[in-house]
Amino acid sequence: MPVVWSDEVDDVLGGDLTCGVAYVTPAGGAVVTAVAPVGLRDRERGTVGFTTSLGFGRKLDRMKAQPKVALAYHTREHGIGDRHNQRYILVQGVASFDPAPNQQLLEEIGERVVPFMGPPQRGAFWDRWLSAYYADRVVVTVAVTRVVEWLDLAATGRPKVYGTPLSADQAVPQTPPKKGTAPRVDAVKNGERAAKLPYRLLGYRQADGFPAVLPVDVTAATPDGIRLRVPAGVPQGGRRAGLLAHAYRAKLIGLESRQNTGWLEVDGTEALYSPHTEAGFKAPPNKTVLLLANGFMARRGLAQARKAGRLEALTRD
């Protein structure tokens, strides 16, 4: 039977401008990235969704290999739902996608985007320049396994669960990586950058194999690692984890994103995060510049994906 959620939860799913998506890595960690859900959900079928581009990143490759994903609806800023609804919603489920969606579906998605980001830029130049960005969109549909609802955006207190109950067993500590757990990139720089951004999400793999995503605070940035305050319920001990810090403005014009993967050591509600990789970008709050950059990045990413054979791999069963 499809998972059924409340009207209050549905308002969040239908109204948030952005959410954090987590997928599992081959080593058993998790990567968290920000995506635009544009209100994609179907209460009767028990599904949610988001859009991405074939030219951006490797998340489609990862989700095809391991389709268990999580979506964290963590902020009402610039959305179209009830801003007084301060629930933190975590959706976990199994992802699927068609790497070559039909034109009708893409047009429907284009209509859904308008209330969130305004009408698309049109014209001979923009249609050609943004072809890789708009025409190569992929809709990821997530068959919901469970919805976890906290009444506040800090994810405090005991949550309500719709669908499959949460396991009583916590994920056991993982085996440390062979290269060690210490930071491999500048922990001070990464911690200070994350602390300056308003939204910070931590992703890790649960005992049942699904990634979980929870909000965290940066309390200090030291050469030994980034010190975090984490919600109760984050499993104790050491494990691989992903950290996303980001900011955005209305209509997603003006973005900043900082991503890390690394090692997490948790003791109570205090944690030490050792970043092993770093990635990020900052886009100016100018729509024309943003669209030019989107077109360039999508074209470059698509060309790289074709050259590496990743597009052909996505179409194979």
Side-chain angles (χ1 to χ4, degrees), residues 208-243:
D208 61 5
F210 282 102
V213 184
L214 289 174
V216 296
D217 291 322
V218 175
T219 59
T222 72
D224 294 331
I226 305 168
R227 299 197 177 275
L228 304 174
R229 183 176 298 110
V230 301
V234 175
Q236 303 296 291
R239 68 197 66 256
R240 299 175 188 268
L243 183 65

Side-chain angles (χ1 to χ4, degrees), residues 103-120:
Q103 188 61 35
Q104 181 179 351
L105 178 58
L106 292 175
E107 290 176 358
E108 291 175 0
I109 297 302
E111 293 174 0
R112 283 183 172 271
V113 167
V114 173
F116 293 91
M117 288 176 271

Side-chain angles (χ1 to χ4, degrees), residues 89-103:
I89 306 298
L90 177 66
V91 178
Q92 296 171 311
V94 178
S96 63
F97 59 89
D98 181 352
N102 61 51
Q103 188 61 35

Side-chain angles (χ1 to χ4, degrees), residues 270-281:
E270 303 298 320
L272 180 67
Y273 185 75
S274 299
H276 291 172
T277 68
E278 60 183 343
F281 66 89

